[in-house]
Amino acid sequence: MSETCIKISSSETLFSSLNEIFDNDIVRNGDTILLESDVEVMEPLVIQKRRFTIDLNQHTLYMSTTKGLRVKGGANVTFVNGRISTILDNTSEGVLIVQGSGTVVTIGSDLILNASEAYLNVRKRGHLNIDGAFVISTGSSPTVLVEDSGSQFSISQGNVLSQSTSAIEVRNSGSVLIRGGKIGSSNADMPLIFSPDLEASDVQISGGFLR
């Protein structure tokens, strides 16, 4: 059975296509959504159900909403080949929220995520993987926040960088696995990985470069 490729050329097309995916089960596991131009998301975008790839096709997905992009409900989504960027200076919940048991997001090769004041938020047993992406926060928030027990952040290759504070913050017995890649911060006074209770958190480092 061949895979489906849905082409997206505008924010309206993005929303309608995702609604069709979830409401009518049009996209099968393993299919791809392909951007044909830059897309600006001006209202909260929620992705749930299915395992598929969003190929930005060297375009930019602009997040200009304070609710960010939420992936939940057991979805398994991979973002590749382009840029995800925030336009607003403050995103209260994070530019990308990964939540819920069984929910997995992979930020893959040739993708740049500029979180600005926002961050990547992993919570409620969600899993976030960095596999080749370049992720940076330029504001006062950590680049990645792992909020609670059962939630996991991992990196095998790529970069997770902060310009002003810790690159990763772990709370409430969250889990961090660093197998490769680079974790860095421009602020030498801040720890690269911060936790209010580091002993209760599960932080494992088996590779990579921390600076």
Side-chain angles (χ1 to χ4, degrees), residues 17 20 22-23 39-41 76 85 103 122 125 128 146-147 157 168 179 188-189 200 203:
S17 296
E20 288 180 358
F22 305 142
D23 295 342
V39 171
E40 182 176 353
V41 177
N76 189 320
S85 184
T103 302
V122 191
R125 306 185 71 83
L128 171 65
V146 185
E147 280 204 23
Q157 56 182 335
I168 302 170
R179 303 186 181 96
D189 295 328
V203 178

Side-chain angles (χ1 to χ4, degrees), residues 57-88:
N57 192 26
Q58 297 298 325
H59 296 298
T60 299
L61 182 64
Y62 292 103
M63 304 299 299
S64 56
T65 167
T66 57
K67 294 296 184 182
L69 169 61
R70 188 185 304 268
V71 183
K72 63 178 187 177
N76 189 320
V77 182
T78 299
F79 296 88
V80 295
N81 193 23
R83 179 186 292 265
I84 300 174
S85 184
T86 54
I87 295 176
L88 300 182

Side-chain angles (χ1 to χ4, degrees), residues 27-43:
V27 169
R28 298 181 296 270
N29 286 334
D31 288 344
T32 297
I33 293 176
L34 182 72
L35 264 61
E36 293 189 305
S37 64
D38 294 348
V39 171
E40 182 176 353
V41 177
M42 302 182 68
E43 57 184 291

Side-chain angles (χ1 to χ4, degrees), residues 2 9 11-12 15 18 33 44 57 62 64 75-76 81 89 128 133 139-140 152 156 162 184 189 203 211:
S2 62
S9 58
S11 300
E12 291 75 14
F15 278 100
L18 290 175
I33 293 176
N57 192 26
Y62 292 103
S64 56
N76 189 320
N81 193 23
D89 289 334
L128 171 65
S140 57
Q152 183 183 94
S156 55
S162 172
D189 295 328
V203 178
R211 181 177 180 180

Side-chain angles (χ1 to χ4, degrees), residues 3-141:
E3 296 180 354
T4 301
C5 181
I6 294 181
K7 296 182 178 180
I8 304 297
S9 58
S10 68
S11 300
E12 291 75 14
T13 309
L14 177 61
F15 278 100
S16 62
S17 296
L18 290 175
N19 287 334
E20 288 180 358
I21 290 169
F22 305 142
D23 295 342
N24 302 317
D25 295 332
I26 290 177
V27 169
R28 298 181 296 270
N29 286 334
D31 288 344
T32 297
I33 293 176
L34 182 72
L35 264 61
E36 293 189 305
S37 64
D38 294 348
V39 171
E40 182 176 353
V41 177
M42 302 182 68
E43 57 184 291
L45 178 60
V46 178
I47 296 175
Q48 54 188 340
K49 296 195 282 188
R50 300 289 179 268
R51 173 179 56 83
F52 59 93
T53 296
I54 296 181
D55 185 345
L56 277 65
N57 192 26
Q58 297 298 325
H59 296 298
T60 299
L61 182 64
Y62 292 103
M63 304 299 299
S64 56
T65 167
T66 57
K67 294 296 184 182
L69 169 61
R70 188 185 304 268
V71 183
K72 63 178 187 177
N76 189 320
V77 182
T78 299
F79 296 88
V80 295
N81 193 23
R83 179 186 292 265
I84 300 174
S85 184
T86 54
I87 295 176
L88 300 182
D89 289 334
N90 180 36
T91 302
S92 58
E93 292 185 299
V95 62
L96 174 64
I97 303 102
V98 183
Q99 71 177 52
S101 180
T103 302
V104 179
V105 171
T106 299
I107 304 179
S109 59
D110 298 319
L111 191 138
I112 298 172
L113 197 157
N114 185 345
S116 185
E117 281 284 348
Y119 49 89
L120 282 65
N121 188 334
V122 191
R123 63 191 190 189
K124 298 180 181 178
R125 306 185 71 83
H127 285 199
L128 171 65
N129 307 313
I130 301 294
D131 186 18
F134 182 92
V135 183
I136 184 169
S137 174
T138 57
S140 57
S141 299

